[in-house]
Amino acid sequence: MSTFLHVLINTAVANITTSFLWFGLTFWIYAETRNVIATGVIGGAYMLFISLFSMLFGTLVDRFRKKAVMLWATVIAFGVFCLDTAFFFLIGEAQIVDLTLPWFWIFAVVMLAGAVVEQLRSIALSTTVTLLVPDERHANANGLVGTVQGVSMLVTSVLSGLSVGLLGMGWTLIIGLAAMLLAMVHLAALHIPEREIVHAEGQTKWVDIRGGWLAVRAASGLFALILFSTINNFVGGVYMALMDPYGIDLFGVAGWGIWFAVASTGFIAGGVVVAATGLGRKPMRTMLLLAAFIGLVGATFALREWGWLFIVGCWLYMAVIPAVEAAEQTVIQRVVPYETQGRVFGFAMMFEAAAAPITALLIAPIAQFWVIPYMREDGEAQWAWLLGEGQNRGIALIFLVAGLACVLIAVLAFLTPQYRRLSAQYEQSAPPAEDEGEAEVPAPSDS
């Protein structure tokens, strides 16, 4: 467990540096252009690239030792960010910020590549829970992962907002590179005791989609679990495209960075609760209830253009995300053999990550060219009874519709036979101690 904590903290440091640069890019381009298409496209493209590369990442995690995978991911990301920093200073900020020229899109795509490579560490981290943590504490360890992600988000949003708002994008890039270099050196000094790599089914492919699919199918109901986990990603795509523009318009760049950090404490609180109490006896039910709650929050946190309402809503949304993610991870860590878990996590990430970019890439142009202009002209008076008044009532209307759709999907999922079969399968696979002649030890209620 102590080794896992070292790995977890190092991954947190690496994620902070990557997110620092990615958040900085989003804050910076919207502050300079006030264009939600730019933020929506780069956010959607980020999730789309994660979806496209997840199976490659999962296969790499299964084929190589976890420390080597993490270290090489960090080295490659560092090299890519160095190239992008050189490009930024060579072309110049005035040229890059002009969206009619190709330079911003080249700059964003290169940074996206570095951020996506770093996601390889997230898959490797999930498998180290199985490797280093006892089965009965998997849910608690996954809660700790959520807590650390919340801390990373809090630190990143504050630092990115302040750095872009006070120092500019150039210094933000330099600071991010320095921090990533420190994380890379620290990781190289860590020791992860790992069992011999077992190449299941004799697979040699670098992108083993078929192996991931077969591993998912081998556990009854696991594909339904992945489908359920995508529910929050649909509304997450709307947040990805519009939350930063809405927050920046309310508070300014530096102010939104600070307030987003305040909202991120919800992620920490949610992770702490899962780490302390687990997921309960029926984590699938917990997942769907929280998915419905996410939709309800998204539908209401912009009904009035009040900063406190938006921040409270963001806090509640982030507080339930760790439990939703931990439910899926805990089930996979128990029912899937260790030697194929990388591909299963990669398959799940590929499937789930595709939901958010589809939503974000659709919503951003709809918001920019239709909904926002409509609400600023004739629509505001028509919807004032529900959405109040303000310059961002178009974004509020999109939040409302997306949130209600999320609630409806979660409620309908409760009525499906797949949900009932999945819940039954989880309960049947719960007590591995009985298979070892230790039936007197009750199965823990939180995993």
Side-chain angles (χ1 to χ4, degrees), residues 200-220:
E201 303 126 16
Q203 66 88 17
T204 58
K205 297 180 180 179
W206 288 97
V207 184
D208 192 13
I209 297 178
R210 181 176 179 273
W213 170 246
L214 292 177
V216 169
R217 289 291 303 273
S220 176

Side-chain angles (χ1 to χ4, degrees), residues 14 17-18 74 77-78 81 118 175-185:
T17 57
T18 303
T74 306
F78 178 76
F81 287 138
E118 186 63 28
I175 294 170
L177 287 177
M180 181 167 286
L181 180 61
L182 292 176
M184 186 166 57
V185 172

Side-chain angles (χ1 to χ4, degrees), residues 139-148 150 265-278 318-323:
N140 307 84
N142 291 324
L144 287 175
V145 172
T147 301
V148 169
T265 61
F267 215 114
I268 299 172
V272 168
V273 170
V274 176
T277 66
M318 294 182 188
V320 301
I321 290 296

Side-chain angles (χ1 to χ4, degrees), residues 236-260:
V238 177
Y239 295 155
M240 179 192 305
L242 302 177
M243 185 180 286
D244 285 334
Y246 190 83
I248 291 173
D249 280 340
L250 282 178
F251 305 108
V253 177
W256 171 234
I258 294 172
W259 280 113
F260 188 79

